[in-house]
Amino acid sequence: MQLAVKSGIFQGDVMPDRRDANQPPERVLGRVIACDGSRATILSAVSTGSWLAGDAWAIGRMVSINLGPSRIVALVYRVHAVEAAWTDTAENPIQVEVEFLGEVTESPDGATRFQSGITNYPPIGAVAHRIRAGDLALVHDLGERGGAVIGQITQDASIPATVNIQGMLSRHFALLGTTGVGKSSAVSLLLRKAVAACPRLRVLILDPHNEYSSAFPDLALTIDGDALDLPFWMFKQEELADIVFRGRPTLDDEPDILREVVAAARGRYRVPSAPGLARDLGSSLLKRPLDLAGARPAGPEVAQAIHDAPTPYRLKDVFAVIEELIGLHEQRWPRSALRSLKVRLESLHADPRYRFMFGRANMYETMAPILGQIFRIPLHGRPITAFQLGGLPGEVVNAVASVLSRLAFELAMASQGVLEVLVLCEEAHRYVPSDPQLGFAPTRQAIARIAKEGRKYGAYLGVVTQRPGELDPTILSQCSTIFAMRLANERDQQIIRSAISDASASTIAFLSSIGNREAIAFGEGVATTMRMRFATLAPHELPAMGRAAAEGGTRFDPTLDDLMRRMRA
């Protein structure tokens, strides 16, 4: 039996479908010597003079095991020498460990198809050889589902790597990888393919590093701190409280006072002609909750619903209600707590960093123009909104992300699926960390709601992070398509290992060593687990960081005035 790998027999990493007349007849690379339910061991041999052909057994390559009417497709995940020695004068026997991926079958009319799973297991002595180019393409073919080309298969650059965009979006997706491996460029490529395939899709990018505005000059509207209008009256109670108190210790009654005075201010906005404090507080001036309806005291659930309703109110009415509460003869709240809350609100209102909340808040009577700008209704040829969170004060980022995620879900639900909305969370571990005690609960709830219920209404989630080990595993488990780029951390690799199917678990073994722009893609959006390389974007389509690298690291050199202006912003 000839087991040696002959140098120069085949070109590239795959065997052509039909060998030409000049090719030698030897096709055997090895034979199966052991097999279990999902793996096999192949005995082969290599010699010192056959290095060029030695990549037949390279880690991560696919090979075929011939069964006659069918061929098993297997993935090489381990190679080792039989003897702990090497000779240059003879062939050296090696053992190759492979994992079964599926089976290529031929019908009587000559048509071939690939199916995941194994119907017939290889017998001892079955022939193993390089996979045919046609078989490799068949393994990664999406068939009737159709797909968009996002790159090339690593094993054979002539075979396109395709993803089913609707399958990727509707069941959510995640892109994971350490810093510097090309995540942002891959995201830019995927988003371009997504908006091209789904004309109704709106994309909202929560961009903490302000890098995506340059990636979509023809497709995106950029909203930064100067262009943003997100009135304070659109924030729910918890979101507003997070901004007002900003992690600082509060007096015992301040959160309750905030809830009550905001509800009272909403009442004044709706009923401007009612006289004095009585129009807001009715007979509840002493110890009972607010009676905004005027007919009966409202319970806490009603008061909360009134507060959270996205209807306008004026900050001056909030101040007026606080002053009136301070002036009451019989105090419901301690004057110290009332004054402290008023000082907090006045400080926020005067802070130029919060112009996006207070500057033009009362120019809007409804949410319509704000939703139209953020979610591109109408599109006007720009379906992507790059929301630059990096220009906002750090203490409000979580609350803003909560508002935007919540609005995205509610908008998709209200449209009954006519509008599809994708929320892309860069640095997602900031918003939905694995530790429930960390992060901001409303943001976690808003993103989790999209992950769990969004598919029914056309609200989709894209998760991007360099730290999957710090991401809420519930959120990651809802992402049915995952692109895993290089991950060196063992904990992060374990997260991926738990998410990938058993039939491709060995693929994760080389996650720590794959190249830049390479990824292991698996899940709903791809035909089978594939190692692929993302396509190269044109320079004008690269995000800011990638563009700087492509230009040799040249960047705008800011003056001291530029730096001070950015720090104040």
Side-chain angles (χ1 to χ4, degrees), residues 166 169-172 200-202 405-422 446 448-461:
Q166 193 60 47
L169 293 177
S170 64
R171 295 182 180 271
H172 318 305
R200 297 182 301 176
L201 183 67
R202 273 77 171 168
S405 302
R406 174 170 54 82
L407 291 176
F409 180 87
E410 292 173 354
L411 183 67
M413 185 169 61
S415 75
Q416 298 181 340
V418 174
L419 296 180
E420 297 176 296
V421 181
L422 168 64
R449 194 179 186 194
I450 295 176
K452 295 175 181 178
E453 306 175 39
R455 181 173 178 243
K456 295 183 291 186
Y457 306 108
Y460 311 136
L461 180 66

Side-chain angles (χ1 to χ4, degrees), residues 142-157:
L142 285 161
E144 296 180 356
R145 289 198 296 162
V149 177
I150 59 172
Q152 305 84 33
I153 302 302
T154 301
Q155 183 163 346
D156 185 352

Side-chain angles (χ1 to χ4, degrees), residues 268-546:
R268 291 193 176 191
Y269 192 90
R270 291 193 299 271
V271 191
S273 59
L277 190 62
R279 63 185 165 187
D280 309 309
L281 306 180
S283 59
S284 64
L285 293 178
L286 301 180
K287 300 295 181 185
R288 289 184 296 179
L290 295 181
D291 180 11
L292 298 180
R296 58 181 176 83
E301 296 84 2
V302 176
Q304 182 68 45
I306 291 174
H307 178 278
D308 288 342
T311 53
Y313 62 94
R314 290 178 291 263
L315 203 60
K316 70 176 184 178
D317 289 334
V318 172
F319 293 140
V321 171
I322 293 175
E323 287 291 346
E324 292 168 13
L325 287 172
I326 292 174
L328 289 177
H329 177 69
E330 184 174 348
Q331 286 296 304
R332 178 177 179 185
W333 307 106
R335 286 189 173 92
S336 60
L338 291 164
R339 291 192 179 101
S340 175
L341 177 61
K342 183 181 179 185
V343 169
R344 290 180 191 269
L345 292 172
E346 288 174 339
S347 175
L348 279 179
H349 185 255
D351 192 331
R353 299 178 302 159
Y354 294 84
R355 287 191 302 266
F356 73 95
M357 288 181 64
F358 301 104
R360 296 179 290 270
N362 292 121
M363 293 175 58
Y364 300 99
E365 292 290 331
T366 70
M367 295 190 300
I370 301 162
L371 291 178
Q373 179 195 33
I374 295 174
F375 295 102
R376 314 304 305 131
I377 307 173
L379 283 173
H380 293 307
R382 294 181 180 268
I384 300 174
T385 302
F387 207 101
Q388 296 192 345
L389 297 174
L392 302 180
E395 56 267 27
V396 307
V397 168
N398 275 330
V400 170
S402 175
V403 173
L404 296 175
S405 302
R406 174 170 54 82
L407 291 176
F409 180 87
E410 292 173 354
L411 183 67
M413 185 169 61
S415 75
Q416 298 181 340
V418 174
L419 296 180
E420 297 176 296
V421 181
L422 168 64
V423 178
L424 185 95
C425 294
E426 264 278 5
E427 302 287 353
H429 58 275
R430 294 184 178 185
Y431 312 118
V432 279
S434 57
D435 186 350
Q437 303 303 316
L438 300 177
F440 183 46
T443 310
R444 180 190 297 272
Q445 293 165 2
I447 293 176
R449 194 179 186 194
I450 295 176
K452 295 175 181 178
E453 306 175 39
R455 181 173 178 243
K456 295 183 291 186
Y457 306 108
Y460 311 136
L461 180 66
V463 171
V464 183
T465 180
Q466 59 182 301
R467 302 173 186 171
E470 298 181 15
L471 183 68
D472 185 347
T474 303
I475 299 297
L476 189 58
S477 68
Q478 298 291 328
C479 298
S480 295
T481 303
I482 294 180
F483 300 90
M485 305 182 79
R486 188 165 66 244
L487 289 166
N489 185 279
E490 178 60 31
R491 182 186 175 195
D492 294 337
Q493 292 183 32
Q494 183 59 41
I495 296 293
I496 305 302
R497 191 174 292 113
S498 64
I500 200 169
S501 64
D502 291 340
S504 304
S506 297
T507 310
I508 303 305
F510 43 88
L511 258 184
S512 60
S513 59
I514 60 177
N516 288 352
R517 292 186 20 244
E518 272 196 282
I520 309 298
F522 61 94
E524 184 72 22
V526 297
T528 190
T529 302
M530 65 178 175
R531 181 175 175 179
M532 49 83 63
R533 183 182 296 274
F534 285 104
T536 303
L537 290 171
H540 70 279
E541 296 175 346
L542 290 170
M545 304 298 181

